[in-house]
Amino acid sequence: MTNDNSKMTGWEVADKVAHGAGAAAHGIGWFLTKAWGVILLIIGVILLIAVFARGGWWAGPLCMAYGIYLLLPGSKWVIW
């Protein structure tokens, strides 16, 4: 009887698939976080310009700061 170690067991295949799914989910999460950061940055600029004279001046800089925070490298706490 030969010992054929080149074939993967079912558990090894499942582990490899789960690892690939985790990597894909991480990539999607990274993209969504950066997209949300860009959207918040744009909204912040619009709020800063449109609402500045009406007393809501603080909303624009807050949106911009959170958008910039999301665009910086590293792990983030994301508020959706």
Side-chain angles (χ1 to χ4, degrees):
M1 195 161 138
T2 62
N3 187 3
D4 187 13
N5 289 332
S6 64
K7 291 189 176 187
M8 294 172 49
T9 67
W11 292 109
E12 291 171 330
V13 172
D15 183 54
K16 198 168 206 168
V17 169
H19 180 70
H26 178 71
I28 292 169
W30 178 87
F31 172 76
L32 289 175
T33 300
K34 299 306 176 186
W36 187 235
V38 169
I39 290 169
L40 282 175
L41 190 61
I42 292 169
I43 289 173
V45 169
I46 291 170
L47 284 174
L48 188 63
I49 293 169
V51 187
F52 186 75
R54 296 188 188 145
W57 61 270
W58 51 269
L62 282 178
C63 282
M64 289 170 42
Y66 188 59
I68 291 169
Y69 163 74
L70 291 178
L71 292 173
L72 293 174
S75 62
K76 307 286 182 240
W77 287 94
V78 181
I79 300 170
W80 298 101

